[in-house]
Amino acid sequence: IGIIDPLRNQTVAASGKSAWFGWPDVPEIEELRAEFARTSDSARLVELAEEIQKLVIDKGVVVPMGQFIIPTGYSNRLTGVLESPVALFWNLEKKSN
């Protein structure tokens, strides 16, 4: 979750001097982040995250510089491959021919 969670993603902090040096002061974003922290309704969490993402882009808090994909190949002889956003090399077994 990390980067998509507006509480743990440091780059969306918009609390001026309380954030990183030179970071913007956008109280509207901080209010939504505070509500996100207090909300347990999963549908509302999605709405809040979307509102925060829109404001972060519109106010210039974060400027996406591009996207990347790390290509990965697997042999059909491997079993135990774990789904993960990062490469994991444990739990793997190689089938013999």
Side-chain angles (χ1 to χ4, degrees):
I1 275 189
I3 199 160
I4 62 172
D5 179 337
L7 297 179
R8 288 183 275 177
N9 184 343
Q10 303 142 316
T11 61
V12 302
S15 55
K17 292 181 181 180
S18 299
W20 290 354
F21 59 91
W23 230 241
D25 186 12
V26 186
E28 192 176 1
I29 291 173
E30 290 305 303
E31 290 167 13
L32 291 171
R33 290 177 76 211
E35 185 179 345
F36 187 95
R38 294 187 302 266
T39 302
S40 60
D41 176 25
S42 59
R44 182 65 182 143
L45 288 172
V46 170
E47 290 172 6
L48 288 167
E50 288 174 354
E51 290 178 50
I52 292 167
Q53 287 173 0
K54 183 177 181 339
L55 280 171
V56 163
I57 297 296
D58 290 348
K59 301 291 184 179
V61 175
V62 173
V63 178
M65 301 298 282
Q67 297 178 334
F68 68 92
I69 296 173
I70 301 172
T72 307
Y74 294 100
S75 168
N76 60 5
R77 292 175 34 196
L78 291 178
T79 61
V81 177
L82 301 172
E83 284 192 39
S84 171
V86 296
L88 301 175
F89 298 104
W90 54 83
N91 201 51
L92 293 176
E93 289 187 34
K94 183 177 171 184
K95 296 180 207 172
S96 57
N97 288 340

